[in-house]
């Protein structure tokens, strides 16, 4: 009981530091997801035109996905130096597989008769993409973005190891000092943030599904 | 009178790898004509249809739309100028009914106001309430969705409609309703329609001409009566024995009317010498030309007047909008050999007899 009170007391004392770190953590995570989305979705659109190519692309993204995050951070250090940049780069790489895969699945999965009708009515391939394929694939793509966002909030923690800051600073400091209060003060906001983002995107996803006529 | 040719296929082939799925198909469709393509599953009907708007490019031969070779046209423009209705309807599930109907107008960036007006007009044309415009396709039944499919195909007012088993996925009652609506609509819109089906009755009902396909080839083409009278064994087998009555049910009794029978208005004089045309009876009409009955030549006196009350009253006239099949049934069940026929204004039009019905069969198609 005493330790719980202790923790809250401690947490309250460092609340300003925590808020600042959480803010930095959040923007790095979101920036990573955004950059990942804006690279993976176009890639997904591009490779979805060809079954073989999309197979290779998904395999490649899958391989990148299995590399430990520490290794990815280490890999980018020589190019991007210390700080937030290698962290963002790692986040982008981790976001690729789910978003790429779901973009391809979503586009390829659009009902053939719907596409045929649109083509038969004279949609150009660009009109087909923006008016038919993307809107109908959107819920599937959103689901991936949601998964990636949760994942990313966790991975951003590792960024502290390359000087990116964020909640990882508290956690790793806590680990090296074997201070549980410090570890908790870092972990709880990270977990809360992940849950919060997940819920918000879940809400967005449902709205997209409704406007996509899928319920 | 020769009408303009709207769609023409000249020796068209479609080859996939080594399989020739459409083989030397030629036909031409006049403006405003409904051509039905029918045949067993896999015979190449859909492929033939989709080559017209180049959703499937043909391998050999020429396809002309309004006299122009389709390979010389921009495929997107070509498709926008042709209405397209498919069996699986293919409504866009993320768009409202209004947006679905206006899909082509949106692709061509027509003004918003024009789009709204057009959607409102078309939803009424296909017999759906206007408040359906704001709904999504999933809220509609199959039959209603297909009505929207038809409305959507008409949005850009194309001269040509391609319809691939459009009523194949709805229940038989709805199908009949949709067929009737299409035919009623066609009377006013007069589109050139290529209609694919595997339902012979539907073909008889809808088609001005019917083309029968088999293994990629067009093996017969003609009006329903021509096909029923065909000597070709495959054609006979394919359309089946019961087909004659199905065909007769699609032809109006007005096609077999005899109008040469003499008539007299009640109270008027009749010239026996010059007007009998070899008949023994004269039909009696009232002052508005509605049918009353008939009178034998013996009961007309020298002055040309009907003597006494010699007029034989028979049952009401047969409605002209009904089919030959219905007239034959009426005669068979009523023990009659002829029926007077009148329009819905009750004006007498002529008579139908067993012989005049049979005449249609022997007259090689009778068109
Ligand atoms: N993309 C394709 N590749 C190879 N064969 C095809 C393809 N599309 C259709 N076919 C074949 O062409 C034939 C005609 O098909 P289709 O025109 O759809 O027939 P129908 O509409 O008369 O049922 C069928 O045997 C079908 O298997
Ligand atoms: Mg077919």
């Amino acid at each position: 009981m005493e330790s719980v009170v202790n923790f809250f007391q401690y947490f309250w004392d460092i609340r300003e530091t925590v808020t600042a770190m959480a803010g930095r953590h959040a923007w790095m995570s979101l920036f990573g997801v955004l950059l990942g989305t804006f690279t993976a979705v176009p890639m997904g659109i591009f490779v979805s035109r060809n079954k073989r190519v999309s197979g290779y692309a998904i395999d490649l993204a899958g391989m990148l996905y299995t590399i430990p995050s520490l290794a990815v951070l280490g890999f980018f250090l020589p190019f991007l130096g210390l700080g937030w940049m290698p962290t963002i780069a790692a986040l982008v790489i981790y976001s690729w597989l789910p978003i790429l895969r779901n973009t391809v699945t979503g586009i390829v999965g659009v009902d053939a008769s719907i596409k045929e009708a649109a083509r038969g009515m004279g949609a150009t391939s660009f009109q087909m993409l923006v008016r038919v394929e993307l809107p109908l694939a959107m819920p599937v793509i959103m689901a991936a973005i949601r998964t990636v966002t949760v994942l990313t909030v966790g991975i951003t923690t590792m960024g502290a190891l390359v000087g990116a800051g964020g909640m990882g600073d508290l956690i790793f400091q806590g680990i090296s000092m074997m201070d549980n209060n410090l570890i908790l003060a870092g972990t709880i906001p990270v977990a809360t943030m992940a849950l919060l983002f997940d819920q918000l995107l879940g809400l967005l996803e449902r709205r997209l599904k409704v406007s996509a006529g899928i319920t | 009178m020769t009408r303009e040719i709207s769609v023409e296929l000249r020796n068209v082939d479609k080859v996939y790898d080594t399989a020739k799925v459409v083989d030397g198909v030629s036909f031409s469709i006049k403006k405003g004509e409904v051509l039905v393509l029918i045949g067993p599953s896999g015979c190449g009907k859909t492929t033939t249809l989709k080559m017209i708007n180049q959703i499937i490019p043909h391998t050999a031969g020429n396809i002309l739309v309004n006299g122009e070779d389709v390979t010389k046209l921009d495929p997107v423009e070509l498709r926008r100028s042709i209405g397209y209705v498919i069996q699986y309807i293919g409504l866009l599930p993320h768009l409202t009914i209004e947006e679905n109907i206006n899909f082509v107008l949106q692709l061509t960036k027509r003004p918003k106001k024009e789009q709204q007006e057009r959607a409102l007009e078309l939803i009424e044309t296909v017999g759906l309430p206007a408040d359906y415009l704001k709904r999504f396709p999933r809220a509609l039944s199959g039959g209603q969705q297909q009505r929207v499919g038809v409305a959507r195909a008409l949005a850009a007012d194309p001269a040509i409609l391609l319809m691939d088993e459009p009523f194949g996925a709805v229940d038989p009652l709805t199908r009949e309703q949709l067929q009737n609506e299409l035919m009623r609509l066609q009377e006013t819109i007069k589109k050139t329609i290529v209609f694919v089906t595997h339902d012979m009755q539907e073909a008889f009902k809808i088609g001005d001409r019917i083309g029968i396909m088999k293994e990629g080839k067009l093996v017969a083409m003609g009006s329903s009566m021509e096909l029923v009278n065909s000597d070709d064994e495959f054609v006979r087998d394919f359309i089946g024995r019961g087909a004659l009555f199905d065909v007769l049910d699609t032809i109006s009794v007005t096609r077999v009317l005899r109008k040469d029978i003499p008539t007299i208005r009640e109270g008027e004089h009749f010239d026996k010498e010059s007007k009998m045309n070899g008949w023994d009876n004269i039909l009696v009409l009232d002052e508005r030309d509605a049918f009353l009955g008939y009178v034998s030549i013996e009961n007309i006196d020298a002055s040309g007047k009907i003597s006494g009350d010699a007029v034989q009253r028979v049952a009401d006239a047969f409605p002209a909008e009904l089919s030959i099949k219905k007239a034959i049934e009426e005669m068979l069940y009523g023990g009659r050999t002829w029926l007077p026929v009148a329009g819905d204004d009750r004006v007498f039009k002529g008579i139908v007899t067993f012989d005049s019905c049979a005449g249609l069969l022997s007259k090689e198609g009778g068109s």
Side-chain angles (χ1 to χ4, degrees), chain B residues 45-46 164-165 196:
Chain B
K45 307 179 292 289
T46 297
D164 191 0
E165 305 201 25
V196 165

Side-chain angles (χ1 to χ4, degrees), chain B residues 26-277:
Chain B
S26 301
F27 58 74
S28 57
I29 311 167
K30 294 188 203 82
K31 224 173 152 210
E33 188 182 25
V34 181
L35 179 85
V36 174
L37 291 177
I38 191 167
S41 179
C43 69
K45 307 179 292 289
T46 297
T47 308
T48 304
L49 190 80
K50 287 186 188 170
M51 289 191 295
I52 296 174
N53 66 355
Q54 292 285 290
I55 288 186
I56 298 177
H58 53 296
T59 314
N62 295 97
I63 299 174
L64 296 105
V65 168
N66 297 322
E68 293 191 80
D69 194 313
V70 290
T71 56
K72 307 231 156 55
L73 301 169
D74 173 10
V76 165
E77 292 303 323
L78 175 72
R79 289 175 203 140
R80 286 175 185 172
S81 71
I82 296 177
Y84 188 48
V85 186
I86 59 177
Q87 174 175 5
Y88 301 103
I89 310 174
L91 293 185
L92 303 162
H94 59 300
L95 301 181
T96 62
I97 300 305
E98 177 166 11
E99 290 164 331
N100 265 283
I101 293 177
N102 288 333
F103 193 72
V104 181
L105 301 182
Q106 271 172 19
L107 295 182
T108 53
K109 304 196 170 62
R110 306 297 306 162
K112 264 259 141 39
K113 194 162 150 52
E114 179 189 327
Q115 292 188 27
Q116 279 172 358
E117 287 169 359
R118 189 78 181 127
L120 197 61
E121 185 186 332
L122 282 167
I123 197 104
E124 279 168 20
T125 306
V126 298
L128 290 175
D131 60 328
Y132 276 37
L133 286 174
K134 297 288 170 240
R135 298 192 186 180
F136 283 95
R138 64 177 176 279
L140 272 59
S141 72
Q144 291 171 334
Q145 290 193 21
Q146 196 50 287
R147 286 195 171 89
V148 176
V150 173
R152 181 174 69 174
L154 293 173
D157 201 18
I160 301 167
L161 282 183
L162 305 179
M163 308 181 89
D164 191 0
E165 305 201 25
F167 310 142
V170 298
D171 66 84
L173 290 176
T174 310
R175 187 180 315 149
E176 193 176 341
Q177 215 177 348
L178 290 172
Q179 288 166 353
N180 293 341
E181 284 167 20
L182 177 67
M183 301 200 36
R184 199 166 33 76
L185 193 60
Q186 172 65 357
E187 277 174 24
T188 50
I189 61 180
K190 301 242 181 346
K191 304 286 182 195
T192 305
I193 301 179
V194 190
F195 190 106
V196 165
T197 183
H198 60 253
D199 177 350
M200 201 70 223
Q201 240 163 307
E202 184 168 75
F204 288 147
K205 188 166 176 177
I206 288 182
D208 293 322
R209 276 188 307 152
I210 298 164
I212 301 182
M213 292 187 68
K214 177 194 175 188
E215 290 164 9
K217 292 193 171 73
L218 185 66
V219 292
M221 170 79 94
S223 70
S224 52
M225 281 311 296
E226 283 165 352
L227 292 180
V228 165
N229 285 325
S230 169
D231 297 328
D232 187 283
E233 201 172 332
F234 174 78
V235 173
R236 278 173 173 274
D237 281 351
F238 184 77
I239 64 183
R241 285 237 163 250
L244 176 57
F245 266 83
D246 288 338
V247 172
L248 291 179
D249 202 24
T250 65
I251 303 177
S252 160
V253 71
T254 52
R255 277 274 297 276
V256 291
L257 282 189
R258 293 197 64 170
K259 299 184 178 182
D260 56 336
I261 188 163
T263 57
I264 176 176
R265 279 220 180 109
E266 207 177 25
E268 285 180 0
H269 290 262
F270 186 77
D271 179 3
K272 276 211 275 193
E273 304 311 317
S274 62
K275 288 201 169 162
M276 285 313 287
N277 297 336

